[in-house]
Amino acid sequence: MTSPPIIAIVGRPNVGKSTLFNRLTGTRAALVSDLPGLTRDRKEGETNFLGHDLRLFDTAGLEDASKGSIADRMRKQTLAAVAAADLVLFVIDAKDGVTPTDETFGRIVRQSGKPVVLVANKSESRASAAGVLEAFSLGLGEPVAISAEHGEGLGELMGDALAALGLKPKIKRKGDPADEGDAVASDNSAETEDVRARPLRVAIVGRPNAGKSTLVNALLGEERMITGPEPGLTRDSVSSDFDWKGRTVRLFDTAGLRRKAKITELAEKLSASDAVRAIRFAEVVVLLVDAERPLEHQDLTIGDLATQEGRAIVIAVNKWDLVTDKQKHLKDIREIVTTSLAQIPGVSVVPVSALGEAGLDRLMQAVFHAAETWNRRIGTSDLNRWLGEALSRHAPPAASGRRIKIRYITQPSTRPPTFVAFCSRPEDLPKSYLKYLTNSLRAAFDLPGVPVRFNLRKGENPFDKDQRRR
């Protein structure tokens, strides 16, 4: 019987190799900690992806070390794993960007002659976007942005791993891409299917006494959370799983978030930190506002926080049964949202009554639609076709008498949709023009209610071999 292909997970210390190993093997075999250098020996595990059995090697962090030291022996073990592997997953920390150590060992991996998939781990936050862009400089191809801790992007990563090994899926899953056309069609990627196989993480957030726990109880269909008129009843971020029309959802009921200046007690500080953590772990954030006091400054601050963390947002207006002129009130709220949350146009605003259990179907439909948009991947050919049309409609302005050229665009990651355009002089492109491109892209590919990250990078099209030769 043919032995399964071997995949070695390598990189410098503390980039998340063991967390990724545990995710892919579905175990906790590898110890995980913020302490660098915790892994010393090579650990082996097995996984199966789309019908293919694979062997995984978790390795010690690559670092320079004096001859004969423990670190030197760890390095030799790692290099032995690379030599035995059929494929190397080279992992960097997207939050730290590309370090000199990454560059040194990136060259070693390239010289090994083994197929390599570049992995930009810890890509769940806004701060990691620059690191994902820097990863292109390693010359190991387009990075796959993932979050091993949150389980994001693993379907795409393993799809690329199979392709690098020259393997085709043995199991045809519902939603897999068709054989012809663009292999990364937005709704048919392996990542989308992987996302649907696990609970959708939804955080209910808002100011104290907005009715968050009551809404959670209404969605769960039972009195799971303590409710009452007193603000601040909820302290911990409590998660509960339930099925909504065949889709599993994991709801996080969070403590009310007040302005920092008003938080004085230690318990409330801890509760607020826990609520912020729930936002970071969520895929969709439901911002619950009080219909009688909608979208005050703190509501907008919470919405902005969720946007900065790259989460999809839905606004639920609670206590709707107490509103008299409903049509005018809803119009006013939508105008405030359009003005005050202009960075994420098209956010769904859904009136609900948590106590009366009204509007829940519309709310969950909006949540699922936001999650689908947040996970959307757009084909590279479609993106570049759009870019050509956008540039022909409105060409980039000249700077110092010289034209700025935008040559190519790609989407390195989803969750939220993130795009990289290669530009001759990105530092000279006005923010107004970048906003024009972002809004045009949103409209062309229907991306409402989610943050869209549009980044510029200096250089030629990295996938055009003819340009690289010139």
Side-chain angles (χ1 to χ4, degrees), residues 80-101:
V82 171
D86 300 296
L87 173 69
V88 175
L89 300 185
F90 189 81
V91 185
I92 69 163
D93 184 333
K95 290 182 180 177
D96 291 345
V98 175
T99 68
T101 305

Side-chain angles (χ1 to χ4, degrees), residues 137-148:
S137 66
L138 290 171
L140 296 172
E142 185 172 352
V144 182
I146 72 163
S147 170

Side-chain angles (χ1 to χ4, degrees), residues 40-55:
R40 286 185 171 176
D41 298 307
R42 185 172 73 200
K43 189 170 290 293
E44 298 184 20
E46 295 181 354
T47 189
N48 183 285
F49 188 75
L50 293 183
H52 289 281
D53 291 323
L54 304 167
R55 287 178 66 197

Side-chain angles (χ1 to χ4, degrees), residues 170-215:
K170 290 182 179 179
I171 300 174
K172 195 70 174 176
R173 298 187 304 179
K174 182 182 177 182
D176 278 351
D179 291 334
E180 66 274 356
D182 199 325
V184 286
S186 60
D187 290 330
N188 293 328
S189 67
E191 182 176 355
T192 300
E193 189 68 18
D194 181 62
V195 165
R196 290 177 179 173
R198 65 173 185 264
L200 174 65
R201 300 190 299 272
V202 179
I204 311 293
V205 302
R207 290 182 285 113
N209 218 29
K212 296 180 295 297
S213 295
T214 305
L215 177 60

